[in-house]
Amino acid sequence: MYKVLIADDERLIRITLKNMIDWQALHCEVIATVKDGKEAYRIFQEVHPEIVITDLKMPEMDGIELITKIKKESRNTQVIVLSNYSDFELVRDAMKAGAFDYLLKITLEKEELTRIITQVKENCEEGGSSQNEEEKQGIKELQQCMVLSKNEHIIDVKEYQRALAQPIFRNMRIFINWLIFVLIILICFMKGNLKNMRVYRVICVI
């Protein structure tokens, strides 16, 4: 039975993760759910869970520091990080610190959690194989590259939408629309056909 520790400062996330899947069917047991990194590290030292699911932003001790401490004491413990769209740089740091994979909170689903836990278990089993350290490190680096790219397109779209929502871009769109509208007025006036303006007047509504 694989021992699982969940750390997140949001109570709803802790409850969701604990009840989202049938842990026993995956031969896992959630031994504790905690709200900060300091408490998570204390329990880790006492119980030595094989799997840790942790948020990146927590009081007392953040996720990056927790991962670093865990990996110094137990390289076989696998860490899954929880993140938001805006945390992608922190996710990169977490992967460099030794995290196995990550989950986006906003798209968290039963199937995705089950898939990652299954992969983590397989990795734990392979950890006891006869692979040398160089092979293990090479495989780990390849896994991290693949993991970091899996949701990057979603995050890029989110960042793009956020950038376009900035006042400077919004004001620029308004200015361009009104500029085109004024040019159409001038063209229609010169041609003596102001009725054609009604079509574009609808388009320019912002």
Side-chain angles (χ1 to χ4, degrees), residues 134-201:
E134 186 175 349
E135 288 176 339
K136 289 179 183 178
Q137 184 62 28
I139 292 172
K140 184 175 180 61
E141 289 176 359
L142 179 59
Q143 287 175 332
Q144 289 178 350
C145 289
M146 294 174 67
V147 165
L148 284 171
S149 65
K150 69 176 183 177
N151 284 314
E152 198 162 16
H153 65 287
I154 301 175
I155 295 170
D156 288 343
V157 170
K158 192 75 175 179
E159 293 297 326
Y160 174 74
Q161 291 172 340
R162 184 182 295 115
L164 287 182
Q166 296 297 317
I168 184 172
F169 290 105
R170 187 165 60 248
N171 294 337
M172 188 179 296
R173 291 198 302 271
I174 293 172
F175 174 75
I176 291 172
N177 275 340
W178 276 109
L179 182 60
I180 295 172
F181 183 61
V182 169
L183 289 174
I184 287 178
I185 290 176
L186 292 174
I187 293 171
C188 290
F189 181 77
M190 290 173 66
K191 291 185 177 182
N193 188 7
L194 295 177
K195 289 188 292 184
N196 290 334
M197 289 169 50
R198 287 182 295 179
V199 176
Y200 191 75
R201 190 175 298 160

Side-chain angles (χ1 to χ4, degrees), residues 48-193:
H48 299 289
E50 289 82 9
I51 302 171
V52 175
I53 303 176
T54 179
D55 191 14
L56 290 173
K57 296 179 180 179
M58 296 184 293
E60 302 293 337
M61 181 189 297
D62 63 32
I64 304 297
E65 185 178 354
L66 177 62
I67 295 168
T68 303
K69 287 179 175 291
I70 287 174
K71 285 300 179 178
K72 281 183 179 180
E73 296 188 26
S74 175
R75 297 185 64 180
N76 292 328
T77 297
Q78 303 301 321
V79 183
I80 302 167
V81 297
L82 302 167
S83 73
N84 297 306
Y85 283 118
S86 58
D87 296 337
F88 198 62
E89 289 302 320
L90 288 177
V91 171
R92 292 183 189 275
D93 292 339
M95 299 304 296
K96 290 177 182 178
F100 177 81
D101 207 333
Y102 72 98
L103 291 165
L104 288 173
K105 291 183 180 181
I106 197 169
T107 59
L108 186 60
E109 295 180 354
K110 176 180 179 180
E111 293 75 15
E112 179 72 0
L113 180 58
T114 301
R115 181 190 65 78
I116 289 181
I117 294 299
T118 302
Q119 289 182 347
V120 166
K121 288 169 53 185
E122 292 174 355
N123 195 71
C124 288
E125 293 168 2
E126 291 171 359
S129 67
S130 58
Q131 285 181 325
N132 60 44
E133 289 301 317
E134 186 175 349
E135 288 176 339
K136 289 179 183 178
Q137 184 62 28
I139 292 172
K140 184 175 180 61
E141 289 176 359
L142 179 59
Q143 287 175 332
Q144 289 178 350
C145 289
M146 294 174 67
V147 165
L148 284 171
S149 65
K150 69 176 183 177
N151 284 314
E152 198 162 16
H153 65 287
I154 301 175
I155 295 170
D156 288 343
V157 170
K158 192 75 175 179
E159 293 297 326
Y160 174 74
Q161 291 172 340
R162 184 182 295 115
L164 287 182
Q166 296 297 317
I168 184 172
F169 290 105
R170 187 165 60 248
N171 294 337
M172 188 179 296
R173 291 198 302 271
I174 293 172
F175 174 75
I176 291 172
N177 275 340
W178 276 109
L179 182 60
I180 295 172
F181 183 61
V182 169
L183 289 174
I184 287 178
I185 290 176
L186 292 174
I187 293 171
C188 290
F189 181 77
M190 290 173 66
K191 291 185 177 182
N193 188 7

